[in-house]
Amino acid sequence: MVQHVGIIGAGQMGNGIAHVFAVAGYDVLLSDINEEALNKAKAKIEINLQRQVSKGLITADVAAAAQSRITTTTGLDGFGEVDLAIEAATENEQVKIAIFKELCPKLKPEAILATNTSSISITRLASTTDRPEKFIGLHFMNPVPVMKLVELIRGIATSEETYHTAEIFIEKIGKLTANSEDFPAFIVNRLLLPMINEAIYTLYEGVGSVESIDKAMRLGANHPMGPLQLADFIGLDTCLSIMQVLYEGLADTKYRPCPLLVKYVEAGWIGRKVGRGFYDYRGDEPVPTR
């Protein structure tokens, strides 16, 4: 039975996951190597909780209780008490493996270990741990407090007990699950990221401007936001990582990352989180950068 949850990584995904578990009544330990990241995460969680209160989605008492259930740490020593540990670090396989190597000796034997990877093989990640049968993929969608879906991905060694336990506690936090087989990028990103990559190719080839491409897809396909705006929201570094996983994992040239996406990442223009991507967010209104 899951009661105490530990989350590694306090970025936009990690703080969102902490938020939903705390609102659902779980005690949450949120860890990051950076104290500043933890402070930003706590501030972001407070803002998002108050937004939910203002919309009537939760009460002020629920928000206050949720905040009280979240503790933060810059280490992993407290993870010996958790029933479920969720890795939500950057989408880099070697970074994730390094975390698992440090984390596994601290976990109790019965603890379940999950990764929030959006593209990397669950089977391969599980093989680097001491508990592949208790390892599972839980791919939350961004922003976590708003999006209802969690992709549930089992590796080849994931036990039925682990899978069903994961399914139950995801339902308890008010989310819906979709099962995906362990293929590169799973379901959502297997479909979504090639579309974004093609939108970047459309910009790269001069077919349309940033504004025209996003406007065309908003008004012509009824998308809530354009693909380039969405890429900025996801993070262009994350988009590139997922496209590289697809390209390498499926060996198909249709998944080749657009050179313009690579150029933006090399420039450090990786989206909203740094203030500049396909749009410049540093002023009062976003302005296209191309």
Side-chain angles (χ1 to χ4, degrees), residues 209-219 226-229 279:
S209 65
V210 169
E211 286 182 307
S212 293
I213 292 165
D214 278 354
K215 184 178 182 181
M217 294 306 289
R218 285 198 314 271
L219 302 183
L228 300 176
Q229 183 187 4
Y279 293 86

Side-chain angles (χ1 to χ4, degrees), residues 191-212:
L191 300 175
L192 178 63
L193 265 296
M195 183 200 73
I196 289 174
N197 194 54
E198 192 62 28
I200 300 170
Y201 266 115
T202 304
L203 177 64
Y204 178 61
E205 293 167 3
V207 179
S209 65
V210 169
E211 286 182 307
S212 293

Side-chain angles (χ1 to χ4, degrees), residues 14 44 53 64 80 110 118 154 164 175 195 199 209 213-214 227 243:
K44 183 69 171 177
V53 171
E110 63 271 27
S118 52
R154 71 179 100 197
H164 289 302
K175 302 296 185 185
M195 183 200 73
S209 65
I213 292 165
D214 278 354
M243 287 309 302

Side-chain angles (χ1 to χ4, degrees), residues 5-203:
V5 180
I7 299 162
I8 304 98
Q12 61 182 358
M13 296 306 297
N15 75 62
I17 296 168
H19 174 138
V20 298
F21 272 101
V23 168
Y26 292 91
D27 292 324
V28 177
L29 178 62
L30 180 61
S31 174
D32 199 286
I33 57 173
N34 190 320
E35 187 71 46
E36 183 181 355
L38 290 170
N39 291 333
K40 286 182 178 179
K42 287 188 288 187
K44 183 69 171 177
I45 291 168
E46 182 176 3
I47 290 169
N48 287 337
L49 285 168
Q50 292 309 312
R51 182 179 290 121
Q52 288 181 315
V53 171
S54 67
K55 291 181 177 180
L57 300 174
I58 60 174
T59 66
D61 287 345
V62 168
Q67 279 187 278
S68 71
R69 293 189 189 105
I70 300 172
T71 56
T72 60
T73 178
T74 54
L76 296 176
D77 290 339
F79 279 73
E81 301 301 316
V82 307
D83 306 302
L84 166 68
I86 304 174
E87 171 274 314
T90 185
E91 191 68 357
N92 179 297
E93 186 166 345
Q94 294 310 310
V95 169
K96 293 178 186 296
I97 290 171
I99 289 170
F100 299 145
K101 293 294 186 186
E102 183 180 355
L103 175 64
C104 283
K106 301 180 186 299
L107 295 176
K108 56 189 178 184
E110 63 271 27
I112 293 173
L113 178 54
T115 175
N116 184 55
T117 181
S118 52
S119 62
I120 301 167
S121 167
I122 303 303
T123 297
R124 193 164 65 243
L125 290 175
S127 72
T128 68
T129 76
D130 63 354
R131 62 195 69 216
E133 74 288 347
K134 291 185 175 294
F135 191 96
I136 194 163
L138 299 178
H139 179 211
F140 289 81
M141 305 295 131
N142 186 37
V144 182
V146 175
M147 302 295 281
K148 296 293 289 185
L149 182 70
V150 178
E151 279 185 312
L152 204 55
I153 313 105
R154 71 179 100 197
I156 195 170
T158 306
S159 70
E160 284 296 319
E161 181 184 2
T162 297
Y163 180 84
H164 289 302
T165 300
E167 201 171 31
I168 289 166
F169 66 68
I170 291 301
E171 289 174 0
K172 284 184 176 179
I173 64 171
K175 302 296 185 185
L176 300 174
T177 60
N179 176 65
S180 172
E181 294 301 318
D182 190 16
F183 281 83
F186 319 128
I187 296 172
V188 173
N189 284 330
R190 173 76 176 265
L191 300 175
L192 178 63
L193 265 296
M195 183 200 73
I196 289 174
N197 194 54
E198 192 62 28
I200 300 170
Y201 266 115
T202 304
L203 177 64

